[in-house]
């Protein structure tokens, strides 16, 4: 079943992220959406929560702090933020659209399972709202091309909203690391492969305890046509619809032969 239709110009939009309330990508997204939508609400983590995945805080209380009008922080995860936004902050007037980002860095392939950015959008979709995750690729040490995401976000959102995608489907949008004028277009893709590489820093802490530090290196397949990875590395904006139902249908059939 598709989402109810709405006009972006009149919409109430909830923005979350995983880079935290002070992240530049959040400010860029707020600026873009203020120019496109009726009302912008921000509920974002107090501190950076990158790679928090779909983690939920259950063993301690959560505090919502109001920073300014329609702008709040939560001392928790991106998922906590969306839950509290929907059930508390925006209880009387729920959003028409939930956006997460703009993340500093790609969320491609299997990143979707680690990403706090994608998880915030997943929580929005679980609660029944049209939800979109937005990420800007960059190279370590180089400035982030926020202007590319800024230039293309409006166009991507307008077209997506007109498509009225099914409930329970999260849209994962990645902007390529090229100047906005060099973007080749917007392409619908499928999840590619991008696992965490083996690069791990080993060291010894000041108390003599050995430690390991998981590196940012990725072992990725940029060559497979039709994937998010191939599209962004060719200079396109990638839009991947992700299902919250993780069931692998062909495996259901295979397993039923041994558990008839
Ligand atoms: Mn992040």
């Amino acid at each position: 079943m598709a989402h109810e239709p709405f006009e972006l110009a009149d919409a109430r939009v909830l923005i979350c992220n995983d880079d935290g309330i002070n992240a530049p990508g959040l400010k860029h997204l707020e600026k873009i959406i203020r120019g496109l939508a009726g009302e912008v609400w921000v509920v974002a983590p107090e501190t950076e929560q990158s790679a928090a995945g779909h983690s939920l805080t259950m063993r301690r209380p959560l505090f919502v702090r109001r920073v300014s009008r329609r702008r709040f922080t939560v001392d928790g995860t991106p998922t906590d933020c969306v839950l509290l936004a929907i059930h508390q902050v925006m209880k009387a007037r729920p959003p028409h659209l939930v956006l997460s980002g703009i993340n500093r860095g790609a969320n491609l392939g299997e990143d979707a399972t680690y990403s706090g950015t994608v998880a915030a959008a997943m929580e929005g979709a679980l609660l029944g709202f049209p939800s979109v995750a937005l990420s800007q690729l960059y190279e370590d040490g180089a400035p982030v091309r926020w202007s590319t995401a800024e230039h293309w976000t409006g166009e991507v959102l307008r077209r997506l909203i007109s498509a009225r995608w099914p409930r329970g489907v999260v849209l994962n949008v990645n902007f390529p690391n090229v100047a906005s004028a060099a973007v080749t277009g917007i392409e619908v893709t499928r999840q590619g492969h991008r696992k965490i590489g083996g690069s791990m820093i080993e060291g010894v802490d000041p108390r003599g305890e050995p430690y390991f530090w998981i590196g940012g290196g990725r072992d990725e397949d940029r060559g497979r046509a039709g994937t998010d990875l191939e599209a962004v590395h060719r200079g396109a904006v990638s839009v991947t619809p992700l299902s919250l139902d993780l069931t692998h249908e062909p495996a259901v059939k295979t397993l039923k032969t041994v558990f008839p």
Side-chain angles (χ1 to χ4, degrees), residues 16-19 45 48-56 77-79 82 100-123 132-136 170-174 191 194 196 218 228 242 244:
C16 184
N17 76 346
D18 78 355
D19 293 339
E48 195 190 334
Q49 301 290 317
S50 289
H54 205 167
S55 161
L56 190 62
T77 65
T79 301
V82 173
S100 181
I102 301 167
N103 188 59
R104 177 173 176 266
N107 277 306
L108 299 162
E110 289 89 347
D111 290 345
T113 62
Y114 299 104
S115 170
T117 304
V118 174
M122 283 183 171
E123 195 57 31
V132 183
L134 303 152
S135 305
Q136 174 64 56
V170 170
L171 301 177
N172 185 27
V173 177
N174 280 273
Q191 218 180 308
R194 185 185 203 231
I196 300 289
R218 292 292 201 280
D228 49 5
L242 301 176
L244 289 175

Side-chain angles (χ1 to χ4, degrees), residues 32-73:
I32 300 162
I33 303 306
R34 277 189 219 292
L36 297 174
E39 239 177 60
V40 178
W41 293 71
V42 174
V43 183
E46 227 169 63
T47 56
E48 195 190 334
Q49 301 290 317
S50 289
H54 205 167
S55 161
L56 190 62
T57 304
M58 299 188 79
R59 299 200 176 269
R60 63 173 177 85
L62 291 165
F63 293 89
V64 180
R65 295 185 176 92
R66 188 176 169 179
V67 180
S68 56
R69 189 166 173 252
R70 295 183 190 149
R71 218 163 179 276
F72 301 80
T73 66

Side-chain angles (χ1 to χ4, degrees), residues 7-254:
E7 292 293 329
L8 186 56
D10 310 318
R12 260 189 311 283
V13 179
L14 167 63
I15 299 180
C16 184
N17 76 346
D18 78 355
D19 293 339
I21 190 79
N22 293 315
L26 180 72
K27 298 202 169 96
H28 285 287
L29 187 55
E30 283 183 66
K31 186 177 129 197
I32 300 162
I33 303 306
R34 277 189 219 292
L36 297 174
E39 239 177 60
V40 178
W41 293 71
V42 174
V43 183
E46 227 169 63
T47 56
E48 195 190 334
Q49 301 290 317
S50 289
H54 205 167
S55 161
L56 190 62
T57 304
M58 299 188 79
R59 299 200 176 269
R60 63 173 177 85
L62 291 165
F63 293 89
V64 180
R65 295 185 176 92
R66 188 176 169 179
V67 180
S68 56
R69 189 166 173 252
R70 295 183 190 149
R71 218 163 179 276
F72 301 80
T73 66
V74 174
D75 58 342
T77 65
T79 301
D80 297 333
C81 289
V82 173
L83 268 174
L84 286 168
I86 301 298
H87 291 304
Q88 299 298 331
V89 178
M90 301 182 74
K91 190 159 71 178
R93 288 152 56 77
H96 299 90
L97 178 67
V98 177
L99 300 177
S100 181
I102 301 167
N103 188 59
R104 177 173 176 266
N107 277 306
L108 299 162
E110 289 89 347
D111 290 345
T113 62
Y114 299 104
S115 170
T117 304
V118 174
M122 283 183 171
E123 195 57 31
L126 278 173
L127 295 171
F129 301 95
S131 303
V132 183
L134 303 152
S135 305
Q136 174 64 56
L137 273 79
Y138 79 104
E139 288 297 327
D140 280 338
V144 184
R145 288 187 162 106
W146 295 115
S147 57
T148 299
E150 234 177 272
H151 185 270
W152 287 89
T153 294
E155 173 80 1
V156 169
L157 289 180
R158 269 190 295 272
R159 289 211 225 169
L160 287 178
I161 289 165
S162 74
R164 296 185 57 204
W165 70 94
R167 283 175 196 271
V169 172
V170 170
L171 301 177
N172 185 27
V173 177
N174 280 273
F175 300 101
N177 184 22
V178 299
S180 60
V183 171
T184 58
I186 305 165
E187 297 181 17
V188 179
T189 58
R190 50 181 301 119
Q191 218 180 308
H193 290 299
R194 185 185 203 231
K195 59 186 171 203
I196 300 289
S199 68
M200 232 178 250
I201 291 172
E202 288 185 47
V204 178
D205 84 356
R207 279 155 214 88
E209 211 52 57
Y211 68 77
F212 302 92
W213 200 331
I214 297 169
R218 292 292 201 280
D219 181 359
E220 57 181 34
D221 180 0
R222 297 182 176 183
R224 200 138 60 97
T227 62
D228 49 5
L229 278 144
E230 192 270 338
V232 290
H233 289 294
R234 196 167 19 79
V237 176
S238 164
V239 178
T240 313
L242 301 176
S243 172
L244 289 175
D245 179 347
L246 301 177
T247 313
H248 190 269
E249 289 298 339
V252 169
K253 288 195 184 70
T254 308

